[in-house]
Amino acid sequence: MTFRKWYPNLAVVARVRFDQDQEGVVVQRDVTRKGKLPGEHDNRVVGPQFRGGRMSRGPFRGPARQQRPRGGQMGGFRGPGPGPRVRFEDNYVDVTMNSGSPQDGSSHRRFNLYRWPNRRSDGQFDRDRRGAGCYRGGGGGGGREGGGGGKDKSSWYKMIIPYGRKYDKKWLLTALQNLCSVPFTPVQYQIEGHKAQFYLEDACTANALCRVSRQITDTEGYKVIVLMNPCPPPAILNTQLKPEDMEHVKQCMAKRFDGSQRALDLNNIRTDPDLVSQNIRAILSRKTFMDAVVKIIEENIPELVCLNLSNNKLYKLEDVADLISKAPHLKILNLSHNELKSEKELDRLKGLKLVELWLDRNPLCDQFKDQLTYISAIRERFPRLLKLDGHDLPPPIVFEVVAPTTTPPCKGSYFGSEEIKVLILHFLQQYYSVYDSGNRQPLLDAYHDGASFSLSLPSSQNPNRCSLREYHKDSRNIKRLKDPSTRFRLLKHTRLNVVALLNELPKTQHDTASFNVDVNTYTTMLLSFTVSGMFKEVDGKSQDAVRAFSRVFIAVPAGISGLCIVNDELFVRIATTEEIQHAFAASAPTPSSSPVPTLTAPQQEMLSAFSLKSGMNLEWSQKCLQDNEWDFNKAAQIFTQLKIEGKIPDVAFIK
């Protein structure tokens, strides 16, 4: 087929043919001098939609059909259906107009593969045909990629953790490794936007790690999601320095190191003649080379005090931050004449105890309105700084606080006194035995007539996605609730309303071994304490789901030695993975008629008789007998005296 377009001084003739060797449709354009070629078909169209007898600008849509050869498909087209429509546009024609144009009427030719209807560029089309950048993964290769689809193309996977930026790297990788059935080594862990990502080389390992998705719960109650995408090998593997190159770099750094000052000068190292002669591109802005430099410093000069990284086109400091642990004695750092655009990059180096810093001739220096603001922003990150860009600064005002190297262990319960401890533990035992019994109506006796109660959930919990939906309707989180009337409605008043709400909450079983108690306030008329721990739901849609709770009780004395709740605040959240693993680890004790089963027969007989006469339960009766060396008469005398004085708590008479 031949189509022709007319230009003022040129004639462009386009020929379309199907080429089996090229596996597609080939367009051939001939540019000749103005004039009709002999034997050429004139395809000009005359009509109202065309002006002056010329084809309008834009694509000409011709049928361009050709008989399909048997035994195969027409070049590049797959499956049944109509053939492609040919598209031409004026800007597809390459015309060279200069004095060097041939005068003999010869044509300029350009061969282009047929352009698909989705208008992808020729370069992209060619890449897709070659298979470049399109790794499907999991298969053995083949197709048009060539080379049989080797391991370097199909066996690498990018593991993506959405919103992984908010997680600590060590915590995240440890949690994944603990649940993954196959050990793995992450390659090139990095943060990109809100995502955390790294690479794995083996398909089995990647699939095993992907199965861990949604099995880890963070402290905000969200599930950690793990995604897997096949990908080409990470670039870091293709640019690692060879051992011989590492040796040349080490020699170059040794030449630039001043042992007397413990100073290393890497200014403009990319132009170092020793490295240039070895064809080594010393680009410190590349992770591989910076990692090599940091490794050499760690292994050979960990006592480094002064480091000059000026004139190296550094635009980020993520890799330089490794010096915090590799060169802990570093005090002087020169980053001048680089390409640092944001002061936030300096946050990566806040762990360095710098006394002198050079940042001049970086774009970030132009972002401050005056010198005072500039100094204040830099000193906020490096409070011990004495010199900035060669200018002395006033002495800093700092407090020598030694930061702990590890997180201190969580302390246990705090009661203040043994008397308060006994009182609270007995109260909690009675309260939660009723709370978990299935019938919470007897809790009316534990609350004051004017008691108040409120329930709250984390403000970050989404009621549509969270498994705490049954608690959301009663949640009084004032960070989320702005309407005063709603706040008032969700605050339950009087013990009848309080217990009515408690009866509506899911049935539970608390792990008393996980309880941690802290006494906040204690006077003769008031006791305030917080109890936190774990519980699980025992029925409903969330049966066996483990929750974490924190509860603040404010109570006043009641009876001879009891407590009456006047204010109760309950906070419920989703338990973390670690909390779930440790919850209910110890089996709950089974009720027994005898607190200590190792008593002798005479002691058990005496215990039963004393409990019968005193009216106390077995636990308190045994305590009274043990304190008096199992002397029945002495124990009875002490019991009578203490009862008259009102010093025996009510809990001693509960059987």
Side-chain angles (χ1 to χ4, degrees):
M1 293 180 294
T2 302
F3 302 96
R4 180 171 181 175
K5 292 187 177 183
W6 289 91
Y7 288 80
N9 300 318
L10 299 173
V12 181
V13 179
R15 294 181 175 86
V16 181
R17 60 188 178 87
F18 295 93
D19 193 324
Q20 296 294 335
D21 295 333
Q22 296 290 336
E23 297 185 350
V25 180
V26 177
V27 179
Q28 175 181 335
R29 296 181 177 88
D30 297 336
V31 182
T32 65
R33 292 290 179 181
K34 184 175 181 181
K36 185 176 180 180
L37 299 178
E40 180 182 351
H41 175 66
D42 192 343
N43 196 44
R44 289 176 292 171
V45 181
V46 179
Q49 68 271 34
F50 301 103
R51 297 182 180 179
R54 294 169 51 190
M55 296 175 64
S56 67
R57 299 183 63 88
F60 177 85
R61 306 178 184 273
R65 295 188 177 90
Q66 180 172 329
Q67 182 66 33
R68 180 177 300 176
R70 295 183 179 180
Q73 296 176 337
M74 190 163 57
F77 298 101
R78 305 173 185 270
R85 293 183 296 177
V86 181
R87 296 169 179 260
F88 293 107
E89 292 189 6
D90 291 347
N91 57 356
Y92 289 160
V93 182
D94 288 347
V95 180
T96 303
M97 302 181 66
N98 52 34
S99 59
S101 300
Q103 304 296 324
D104 55 357
S106 61
S107 62
H108 299 274
R109 296 184 178 182
R110 186 179 72 172
F111 293 87
N112 288 340
L113 290 176
Y114 178 75
R115 300 182 66 86
W116 295 95
N118 61 8
R119 298 178 181 264
R120 291 186 298 179
S121 64
D122 291 325
Q124 181 178 353
F125 179 75
D126 293 339
R127 287 195 299 272
D128 289 345
R129 292 174 59 83
R130 293 192 300 267
C134 182
Y135 302 101
R136 301 295 179 186
R144 292 197 180 102
E145 276 82 7
K151 181 179 180 181
D152 60 332
K153 289 187 177 182
S154 60
S155 63
W156 279 93
Y157 295 86
K158 179 188 288 186
M159 312 306 296
I160 300 173
I161 315 297
Y163 303 101
R165 183 186 188 93
K166 64 181 181 179
Y167 302 130
D168 176 71
K169 175 183 176 181
K170 183 178 180 181
W171 175 87
L172 178 60
L173 294 179
T174 302
L176 292 174
Q177 185 67 80
N178 289 340
L179 293 179
C180 185
S181 59
V182 180
F184 67 91
T185 302
V187 177
Q188 198 176 352
Y189 183 99
Q190 59 185 358
I191 300 297
E192 182 176 330
H194 292 285
K195 302 180 297 184
Q197 62 185 34
F198 55 89
Y199 297 88
L200 294 179
E201 185 174 7
D202 181 63
C204 295
T205 305
N207 282 309
L209 185 58
C210 203
R211 286 192 291 270
V212 177
S213 183
R214 298 184 179 275
Q215 295 186 26
I216 300 173
T217 306
D218 63 19
T219 55
E220 296 180 355
Y222 290 100
K223 300 292 185 181
V224 177
I225 300 175
V226 182
L227 304 178
M228 175 183 76
N229 286 327
C231 67
I236 186 175
L237 301 180
N238 302 325
T239 56
Q240 291 283 6
L241 291 179
K242 300 177 181 178
E244 55 270 24
D245 293 340
M246 282 285 292
E247 189 61 32
H248 289 304
V249 174
K250 186 185 297 185
Q251 293 175 4
C252 175
M253 292 174 62
K255 177 189 68 175
R256 291 168 168 256
F257 178 66
D258 183 355
S260 61
Q261 302 293 327
R262 292 188 292 175
L264 178 61
D265 182 10
L266 299 183
N267 172 53
N268 202 17
I269 191 175
R270 66 183 181 279
T271 62
D272 190 282
D274 293 345
L275 298 180
V276 173
S277 63
Q278 297 296 329
N279 198 25
I280 298 176
R281 302 183 66 185
I283 303 177
L284 285 181
S285 59
R286 291 187 178 177
K287 177 178 176 58
T288 50
F289 198 87
M290 179 59 76
D291 288 346
V293 169
V294 173
K295 182 178 180 181
I296 294 174
I297 292 176
E298 178 188 18
E299 295 177 351
N300 299 275
I301 45 176
E303 71 282 0
L304 185 67
V305 172
C306 178
L307 177 61
N308 186 353
L309 296 176
S310 60
N311 288 289
N312 280 294
K313 297 185 178 181
L314 295 175
Y315 62 91
K316 62 178 182 177
L317 299 176
E318 179 180 0
D319 304 321
V320 183
D322 292 337
L323 291 171
I324 297 175
S325 58
K326 310 301 183 184
H329 303 289
L330 189 63
K331 302 292 183 184
I332 303 173
L333 181 61
N334 191 339
L335 295 172
S336 61
H337 295 80
N338 279 298
E339 299 177 5
L340 301 174
K341 297 180 175 60
S342 172
E343 61 180 289
K344 294 182 179 179
E345 281 295 324
L346 298 175
D347 291 337
R348 304 180 185 274
L349 305 181
K350 290 173 67 173
L352 292 175
K353 300 177 181 178
L354 298 178
V355 297
E356 185 173 340
L357 177 64
W358 299 72
L359 291 171
D360 56 305
R361 301 299 180 89
N362 275 285
L364 68 86
C365 296
D366 301 328
Q367 297 180 0
F368 301 96
K369 60 182 181 180
D370 52 43
Q371 187 72 6
L372 185 61
T373 307
Y374 170 57
I375 295 175
S376 176
I378 304 304
R379 207 166 204 178
E380 180 181 350
R381 293 165 172 83
F382 307 101
R384 292 180 173 82
L385 206 62
L386 298 177
K387 184 176 289 189
L388 178 60
D389 297 334
H391 302 287
D392 292 333
L393 302 178
I397 301 176
V398 296
F399 299 94
E400 291 291 339
V401 179
V402 179
T405 55
T406 58
T407 303
C410 180
K411 293 185 177 181
S413 300
Y414 174 77
F415 296 95
S417 68
E418 189 66 23
E419 180 184 3
I420 299 300
K421 177 180 179 180
V422 173
L423 180 63
I424 292 177
L425 291 182
H426 280 289
F427 167 80
L428 294 177
Q429 179 184 5
Q430 295 178 64
Y431 185 90
Y432 283 105
S433 63
V434 176
Y435 192 93
D436 294 339
S437 65
N439 178 22
R440 296 171 181 163
Q441 199 64 24
L443 289 177
L444 283 170
D445 296 333
Y447 286 90
H448 190 274
D449 289 338
S452 299
F453 173 82
S454 63
L455 169 68
S456 182
L457 302 181
S459 58
S460 60
Q461 299 289 354
N462 187 335
N464 297 323
R465 298 174 52 191
C466 178
S467 60
L468 297 175
R469 286 188 292 269
E470 297 184 18
Y471 296 89
H472 266 283
K473 62 183 180 64
D474 300 307
S475 177
R476 189 179 178 266
N477 189 322
I478 59 176
K479 189 174 181 180
R480 295 176 64 97
L481 297 177
K482 305 302 181 182
D483 181 24
S485 60
T486 304
R487 289 183 178 183
F488 181 81
R489 177 177 57 83
L490 293 176
L491 181 62
K492 303 303 178 181
H493 294 278
T494 75
R495 63 175 183 169
L496 292 175
N497 292 327
V498 170
V499 177
L501 175 58
L502 294 181
N503 278 318
E504 295 177 3
L505 298 180
K507 306 303 179 184
T508 59
Q509 177 186 349
H510 286 73
D511 179 15
T512 56
S514 69
F515 284 7
N516 192 57
V517 181
D518 287 301
V519 175
N520 308 320
T521 306
Y522 172 65
T523 67
T524 57
M525 299 301 296
L526 182 70
L527 176 61
S528 174
F529 61 95
T530 302
V531 56
S532 57
M534 313 295 297
F535 71 88
K536 64 180 179 181
E537 299 182 13
V538 296
D539 62 359
K541 297 180 180 180
S542 302
Q543 186 173 357
D544 294 330
V546 178
R547 317 295 191 198
F549 79 95
S550 179
R551 201 161 188 171
V552 180
F553 289 106
I554 300 179
V556 295
I560 298 177
S561 181
L563 295 175
C564 184
I565 304 170
V566 295
N567 192 284
D568 183 3
E569 299 178 10
L570 174 60
F571 178 82
V572 180
R573 62 176 174 83
I574 297 175
T576 64
T577 304
E578 290 80 5
E579 289 174 332
I580 294 175
Q581 292 175 350
H582 291 91
F584 298 93
S587 58
T590 57
S592 174
S593 59
S594 176
V596 182
T598 56
L599 296 178
T600 63
Q603 288 177 335
Q604 291 182 2
E605 184 178 356
M606 183 185 301
L607 177 60
S608 299
F610 192 87
S611 175
L612 181 62
K613 290 190 175 184
S614 65
M616 293 193 301
N617 55 40
L618 293 177
E619 182 181 358
W620 282 82
S621 298
Q622 180 179 337
K623 176 177 173 58
C624 186
L625 290 171
Q626 286 177 337
D627 291 344
N628 293 280
E629 300 177 351
W630 291 93
D631 186 332
F632 190 93
N633 295 328
K634 182 179 179 181
Q637 183 180 357
I638 297 297
F639 165 77
T640 303
Q641 180 180 352
L642 293 177
K643 186 176 182 180
I644 294 174
E645 296 175 357
K647 294 183 178 180
I648 300 179
D650 293 342
V651 69
F653 299 94
I654 298 178
K655 296 185 179 181

